[in-house]
Amino acid sequence: MFEEKKKQSHTSTSKSETLPLLPLRDIVVFPSSVMPLFVGREKSIKALDLAMSQDKKIMLSAQKEAKSNNPSSKDIFLNGTIANILQLLKLPDGTVKVLVEGKSRAKIRKFINNDEMFIVETSEEKHENFTSPENEALVRTVRMAFDNYIRLNKRTPPEVLISISQIEDQNKLTDTLISHLPNIKLNDRQKLLEEFDSNKRLEIIYQHIQSEIEIMKTEKKIRARVKRQMEKTQKEYYLNEQMTAIQKELGDRDDGKSEIKEMEKLLENKSLSEEAREKAGKELKKLKYMPAMSAEATVVRNYLDTLLTLPWGVYTKDNKDINHAEDILNRDHFGLEKVKDRILEYLSIKNMVNEIKGPILCLVGPPGVGKTSLVKSIAEALDRNFVKIALGGVKDQAEIRGHRKTYIGSMPGKIISSLKKAGSANPVILLDEIDKLSMDHRGDPSAALLEVLDPEQNVCFNDHYLDVDFDLSKCLFVATANSVEGIPGPLLDRTELIRLSGYTEIEKLNIAQRFLIPKQLRENGFTKHKVNYEESAILEIVRYYTKEAGVRNLEREVSSVLRKIARKHMKKNPSKKSLANQKSMTTEKESKAQSKSFLISETVEQKSVFEYLGPRKYRISEHSNKAQIGVCTGLAWTPYGGEILVIEVATLPGKGKLIITGKLGETMQESAHAALSYVRSRAKFLGLDNSFYHSLDIHIHVPEGAIPKDGPSAGLCICTALTSAFTKRPIDQNVAMTGEITLLGRSLPIGGLKEKSLAAHRAGIKKIIFPQDNIKDLSDLPKTILKDLDFIPVSHMDEVLIHSLLWTGKENDKLKQKLKKNVKEISPISSLNLAQ
């Protein structure tokens, strides 16, 4: 027997040392380990610079919360590692790559106040090894366990075993082993760092190694089982089979039996139609006898999932309070009185009969006038779920009706998918951009929509994917479009059009003040700041920075001004930070004072709009205020609102050739020929020689030649410009006109009078000449337009000449009197009477 020699565990604390601190995220650096670190935080970089300027020693300690970008002293573990900086490299992106070597464990005794970086007072913890038979046995056991781990873990090179076997120091051994166990969590690594007893560290490491060995053995068993189950023709299912084996090992899978039971339970509780219940029962029965991972089982499972998750018999309760609906429409939209009245009438009738088998509402108007938001307001007024179906660019009829189950990647159509998304069988469904539907060899989607929108047929809508009828009669469909011309005829027949024209300046001003500016203040983070828009500034933006019927660009310009204001103030105060980025040592009182000093107070005036948005983008008028010969102002309609169209006519020596430029369509070219024929037929009446055109070439030009133009409403304007050019009489530039002409000089009715009137009002025109048959359309115009403009209805071209040409001199007076005798003069309609 011999006396067992034993050294007791001895731990000593060296003298205190003041070092810069580098907080680490998700990393624990141990003594004897070399590790690269990437550092980006300003405090951390300064700490590295300080360490490099001294003895290259730095304290490394992990953060308790890795997500914290600005940790305080409470967020850092007190136990860490003193390390030497081996190499430091500053990268182009401002970050620093540093290579550190852990030297010894240490404990933070005190944090020294420093705003630029963390500086701590540390004490190095030194501990000596002790040996005993028990200790030696523990070391051998750990070495053997690690040997088994290396054999199972193919990712770790075998050379590691040689380096481990050469380490005699127990502390260095434990720290080296930890670096080769990547799956140990951060908290467990920190506990190992804080444990100064090498025996206890060896025990903890042994537990982790054994745990990893068990996991790897299980993985090996799973891989072997998967390999046995696979056949040569099933290699493509390898990953799925591996997942199945894992789930079997964990006991979380029962070959799909629980999924089938869940579907059976859903089938019992859902109020499906008899047809759908019978279909679901048959499919569920087939699914029971199919292999869980077969391709056909996946198809059946997806079909049943779609069928059973549809809102069969689920209806939301309608709010029938018409006053509530009116309040919501007025809250969300300014103006649009006739549109609101029509919607309220529609809702009133619906509440009376509970079910309307009439046409579907279709809101038609240029972009940005509020079509989509109106539909959302209808849904809110009725307390119904809202869902939107975008039809722009849809070419395949299967996108409406769905694909048949036999196709690969088949799915239900947009209608059934939207019902599934809405979660009820009576939502408000918005069919957006119905005029943008197109078609190709795969069918016509507009034809598929006929069944959806027909109240006589949509009671039993049949989606190709479901192959069972679903009742759509309780759904409220509302469509939107930019222009009527793009809506297919049969589809148009099933809808009731509600036209939304553009807004006047006053309406845009109110919309900006009530809706757009508050919304942009919220979205751009100005809720606590004071930014006011003067009326003159808003009107400046409306007139000179936007040219639209709606308010979408107006909202963009308002937002642009706010961004410029934010940038200007941040440039003046570069050192200001938000409260979230204040230093941890700043008191609450100081933070409030700093936050208050950073509040933005700005008033946007008319003269400051130029500073924010630059030079004016548009002119308020497209016409000259000076009377000119051969230059006439016309009015045009576009899907985006009304436009001013200037038509110019020049005569030059030639042989009677007619030149038409400006990229005019066929209809406008025909109008030009008809207008010229009319002037030639009236040559003697207008005091012209019958052969006046033989020695002249006539050039008709519409500016902005790169933009295609066409439409049946330019005849009067072209004829007036031709007459002015031939008779050398100037045209009143305060007059604009619209209307088509016949060879006999009759004025034909046109469309879009409201949009054209709004364009004339924006351009500052005083009088509008229009066909007499369009007098009925004046009731649709806002009262402000009727008060500001004189509307002159005409039935013949001679009346147009009386009101558009400037008559001065005796000869002109004679011709004017002849025109008056030829047709009965119609005086301008009283704006006051129209407004009333």
Side-chain angles (χ1 to χ4, degrees):
M1 297 295 293
F2 60 92
E3 184 178 356
E4 185 176 272
K5 184 180 178 183
K6 181 176 180 181
K7 290 183 181 178
Q8 298 295 329
S9 173
H10 177 69
T11 302
S12 62
T13 304
S14 66
K15 63 180 181 178
S16 298
E17 190 174 4
T18 301
L19 295 173
L21 171 68
L22 178 62
L24 304 178
R25 300 190 199 200
D26 283 331
I27 299 174
V28 176
V29 177
F30 286 86
S32 304
S33 63
V34 177
M35 185 173 293
L37 301 173
F38 288 90
V39 180
R41 289 182 286 197
E42 187 178 349
K43 280 187 176 183
S44 301
I45 293 173
K46 288 182 178 180
L48 288 171
D49 291 339
L50 180 60
M52 290 296 292
S53 66
Q54 296 177 352
D55 53 0
K56 296 187 179 182
K57 291 177 69 175
I58 192 166
M59 179 69 179
L60 304 177
S61 187
Q63 292 179 199
K64 295 177 182 177
E65 292 292 336
K67 294 180 180 179
S68 177
N69 286 324
N70 192 11
S72 64
S73 57
K74 296 179 181 179
D75 300 326
I76 300 172
F77 288 109
L78 296 179
N79 287 83
T81 304
I82 294 176
N84 284 339
I85 299 176
L86 301 179
Q87 187 181 16
L88 187 141
L89 177 64
K90 293 190 176 182
L91 302 178
D93 61 354
T95 60
V96 174
K97 181 180 179 182
V98 60
L99 188 67
V100 295
E101 179 184 17
K103 287 299 181 184
S104 60
R105 287 174 169 78
K107 189 166 186 178
I108 298 174
R109 298 298 179 186
K110 182 181 178 182
F111 281 86
I112 299 173
N113 286 336
N114 191 307
D115 292 341
E116 295 185 349
M117 68 191 84
F118 285 110
I119 297 179
V120 293
E121 185 179 313
T122 65
S123 58
E124 185 177 347
E125 304 291 339
K126 293 184 178 180
H127 40 274
E128 300 175 0
N129 295 321
F130 62 89
T131 57
S132 69
E134 181 183 352
N135 174 254
E136 189 66 29
L138 183 57
V139 171
R140 290 183 183 180
T141 304
V142 170
R143 289 183 187 274
M144 289 176 63
F146 189 73
D147 182 81
N148 292 334
Y149 170 77
I150 293 297
R151 294 178 190 280
L152 289 170
N153 187 9
K154 302 300 182 181
R155 298 175 184 175
T156 306
E159 293 80 8
V160 173
L161 281 174
I162 300 172
S163 61
I164 294 293
S165 63
Q166 294 173 354
I167 299 174
E168 297 295 335
D169 186 272
Q170 291 182 19
N171 293 310
K172 188 176 181 180
L173 176 65
T174 56
D175 293 337
T176 306
L177 287 173
I178 292 168
S179 64
H180 293 291
L181 297 172
N183 295 325
I184 301 179
K185 296 179 181 177
L186 177 69
N187 288 336
D188 293 334
R189 286 177 175 271
Q190 183 65 30
K191 288 178 182 178
L192 282 166
L193 183 69
E194 294 174 358
E195 181 57 63
F196 294 101
D197 188 334
S198 60
N199 265 10
K200 290 184 179 179
R201 282 208 306 274
L202 285 168
E203 290 177 2
I204 296 171
I205 291 171
Y206 178 73
Q207 291 174 4
H208 282 294
I209 293 174
Q210 285 299 112
S211 176
E212 288 295 319
I213 289 172
E214 290 299 321
I215 292 171
M216 286 189 288
K217 283 182 178 179
T218 306
E219 287 178 348
K220 188 175 181 181
K221 190 189 301 181
I222 291 169
R223 286 195 294 270
R225 182 181 301 160
V226 170
K227 191 174 181 181
R228 287 195 302 268
Q229 291 173 350
M230 285 180 58
E231 296 178 3
K232 290 182 181 180
T233 58
Q234 292 180 320
K235 288 183 180 180
E236 60 190 81
Y237 299 110
Y238 174 78
L239 294 176
N240 288 329
E241 291 293 334
Q242 190 177 36
M243 188 180 296
T244 302
I246 291 170
Q247 290 172 337
K248 283 183 178 180
E249 192 68 27
L250 295 174
D252 291 340
R253 186 177 176 88
D254 53 1
D255 294 327
K257 293 180 181 178
S258 60
E259 188 178 10
I260 293 175
K261 288 180 181 179
E262 188 178 341
M263 287 183 176
E264 288 176 341
K265 189 176 180 181
L266 269 174
L267 184 59
E268 291 176 6
N269 297 332
K270 283 274 186 179
S271 56
L272 280 73
S273 65
E274 288 300 320
E275 181 188 14
R277 188 175 297 279
E278 183 180 350
K279 182 81 172 176
K282 288 181 179 178
E283 295 294 324
L284 197 57
K285 190 175 180 180
K286 277 198 293 184
L287 183 63
K288 289 180 181 179
Y289 298 102
M290 289 181 182
M293 296 308 296
S294 68
E296 190 177 356
T298 304
V299 172
V300 175
R301 195 179 297 113
N302 291 338
Y303 172 78
L304 285 170
D305 180 63
T306 302
L307 185 65
L308 295 175
T309 52
L310 281 174
W312 297 92
V314 179
Y315 300 100
T316 56
K317 188 177 180 181
D318 285 353
N319 188 333
K320 297 187 177 183
D321 186 357
I322 202 67
N323 294 322
H324 169 70
E326 186 173 5
D327 291 341
I328 288 177
L329 289 173
N330 290 330
R331 181 198 70 190
D332 295 342
H333 301 85
F334 181 83
L336 305 176
E337 299 303 330
K338 291 200 172 184
V339 177
K340 292 178 186 175
D341 290 342
R342 179 63 190 90
I343 291 172
L344 292 172
E345 291 167 7
Y346 181 88
L347 297 179
S348 299
I349 295 297
K350 186 187 177 308
N351 290 339
M352 289 179 65
V353 299
N354 290 326
E355 194 175 327
I356 295 182
K357 289 192 175 181
I360 309 299
L361 293 182
C362 182
L363 306 178
V364 180
V369 295
K371 300 185 293 296
T372 302
S373 59
L374 266 172
V375 183
K376 288 182 179 178
S377 298
I378 293 172
E380 186 180 352
L382 290 172
D383 285 346
R384 286 194 182 191
N385 297 329
F386 170 79
V387 66
K388 173 183 173 181
I389 299 176
L391 298 176
V394 172
K395 295 181 179 180
D396 188 358
Q397 63 98 17
E399 293 194 48
I400 305 298
R401 286 188 176 275
H403 304 80
R404 299 196 182 277
K405 283 190 300 178
T406 52
Y407 298 149
I408 295 174
S410 59
M411 61 182 70
K414 288 181 178 289
I415 303 298
I416 294 299
S417 297
S418 64
L419 288 172
K420 186 178 177 181
K421 181 180 178 182
S424 62
N426 63 336
V428 174
I429 298 180
L430 168 61
L431 301 173
D432 197 30
E433 305 287 3
I434 200 171
D435 58 329
K436 304 297 191 301
L437 282 171
S438 54
M439 61 181 292
D440 61 7
H441 63 281
R442 290 169 293 187
D444 185 1
S446 64
L449 273 177
L450 295 178
E451 183 184 355
V452 176
L453 299 181
D454 194 333
E456 299 296 333
Q457 300 180 45
N458 63 12
V459 178
C460 51
F461 174 72
N462 192 290
D463 185 275
H464 288 162
Y465 181 79
L466 292 182
D467 201 23
V468 294
D469 293 340
F470 194 95
D471 186 4
L472 299 179
S473 61
K474 301 293 191 298
C475 299
L476 178 56
F477 291 97
V478 184
T480 65
N482 291 136
S483 65
V484 179
E485 286 73 16
I487 305 175
L491 209 55
L492 183 63
D493 183 56
R494 285 165 171 78
T495 60
E496 178 179 343
L497 298 182
I498 300 179
R499 295 185 181 272
L500 284 78
S501 303
Y503 296 109
T504 63
E505 285 184 358
I506 300 302
E507 288 174 331
K508 287 184 178 181
L509 174 65
N510 280 276
I511 291 169
Q513 290 174 329
R514 297 188 186 187
F515 305 106
L516 304 184
I517 293 175
K519 176 186 174 184
Q520 289 303 317
L521 287 174
R522 288 193 305 271
E523 292 184 356
N524 288 282
F526 280 83
T527 50
K528 294 182 180 180
H529 304 279
K530 295 180 180 179
V531 178
N532 298 316
Y533 282 79
E534 290 187 351
E535 284 191 7
S536 59
I538 300 173
L539 289 174
E540 175 78 9
I541 297 173
V542 169
R543 290 170 179 168
Y544 300 109
Y545 293 88
T546 62
K547 188 181 180 183
E548 58 174 345
V551 291
R552 195 167 288 164
N553 284 327
L554 175 58
E555 185 175 5
R556 292 191 186 106
E557 298 298 339
V558 167
S559 177
S560 179
V561 170
L562 292 177
R563 294 195 299 271
K564 298 291 192 302
I565 290 173
R567 180 182 175 185
K568 181 177 74 173
H569 282 268
M570 292 302 293
K571 196 171 183 180
K572 288 181 179 178
N573 305 276
S575 61
K576 298 293 182 182
K577 298 180 180 179
S578 64
L579 286 175
N581 294 327
Q582 294 291 342
K583 295 173 184 177
S584 58
M585 286 73 102
T586 306
T587 63
E588 185 178 351
K589 187 175 181 180
E590 290 172 341
S591 297
K592 287 183 178 178
Q594 290 181 16
S595 176
K596 189 174 182 181
S597 67
F598 188 52
L599 286 177
I600 296 174
S601 180
E602 187 88 12
T603 299
V604 182
E605 302 173 344
Q606 182 178 4
K607 60 183 179 182
S608 62
V609 172
F610 174 84
E611 175 189 346
Y612 296 124
L613 300 180
R616 292 175 173 177
K617 297 179 181 178
Y618 305 105
R619 292 175 292 167
I620 195 170
S621 174
E622 293 288 345
H623 72 289
S624 171
N625 291 325
K626 184 179 178 182
Q628 299 180 62
I629 294 174
V631 180
C632 187
T633 304
L635 298 173
W637 177 93
T638 72
Y640 309 102
E643 291 286 345
I644 295 295
L645 199 67
V646 178
I647 295 178
E648 300 174 347
V649 174
T651 58
L652 51 156
K655 298 181 180 180
K657 184 179 178 183
L658 177 62
I659 305 167
I660 302 174
T661 57
K663 207 168 185 180
L664 304 185
E666 289 185 9
T667 305
M668 286 188 71
Q669 290 187 33
E670 290 175 358
S671 297
H673 286 285
L676 179 59
S677 297
Y678 171 76
V679 175
R680 287 174 57 186
S681 68
R682 303 277 288 173
K684 187 175 181 181
F685 185 83
L686 295 172
L688 300 171
D689 187 80
N690 285 333
S691 60
F692 71 95
Y693 58 91
H694 288 306
S695 59
L696 295 174
D697 280 349
I698 304 150
H699 189 164
I700 301 175
H701 177 66
V702 183
E704 298 180 355
I707 301 173
K709 311 167 192 74
D710 202 10
S713 60
L716 297 182
C717 190
I718 295 174
C719 190
T720 304
L722 286 168
T723 305
S724 171
F726 293 144
T727 62
K728 306 302 179 185
R729 292 180 176 86
I731 299 172
D732 185 357
Q733 294 302 306
N734 287 318
V735 175
M737 61 188 71
T738 179
E740 193 54 271
I741 189 175
T742 67
L743 290 176
L744 298 178
R746 287 192 300 109
S747 174
L748 299 179
I750 46 85
L753 182 60
K754 182 177 180 180
E755 290 84 353
K756 294 175 180 178
S757 301
L758 290 173
H761 186 262
R762 285 198 301 269
I765 288 169
K766 304 300 182 185
K767 297 178 183 178
I768 293 180
I769 296 174
F770 69 102
Q772 192 170 19
D773 290 342
N774 287 105
I775 290 179
K776 62 183 185 302
D777 298 328
L778 294 176
S779 60
D780 295 334
L781 298 180
K783 292 182 180 181
T784 54
I785 299 296
L786 295 172
K787 287 180 181 179
D788 293 344
L789 296 178
D790 285 335
F791 289 87
I792 305 173
V794 296
S795 59
H796 194 272
M797 187 62 212
D798 289 354
E799 298 174 70
V800 178
L801 298 178
I802 291 170
H803 293 292
S804 60
L805 298 180
L806 294 178
W807 302 95
T808 55
K810 292 182 180 180
E811 292 185 4
N812 287 332
D813 285 339
K814 289 180 182 179
L815 179 56
K816 185 176 182 181
Q817 294 302 321
K818 285 172 65 178
L819 290 170
K820 287 183 178 180
K821 288 179 182 179
N822 191 48
V823 294
K824 183 180 178 181
E825 182 180 3
I826 299 178
S827 302
I829 294 176
S830 169
S831 299
L832 179 63
N833 292 336
L834 284 173
Q836 291 173 349

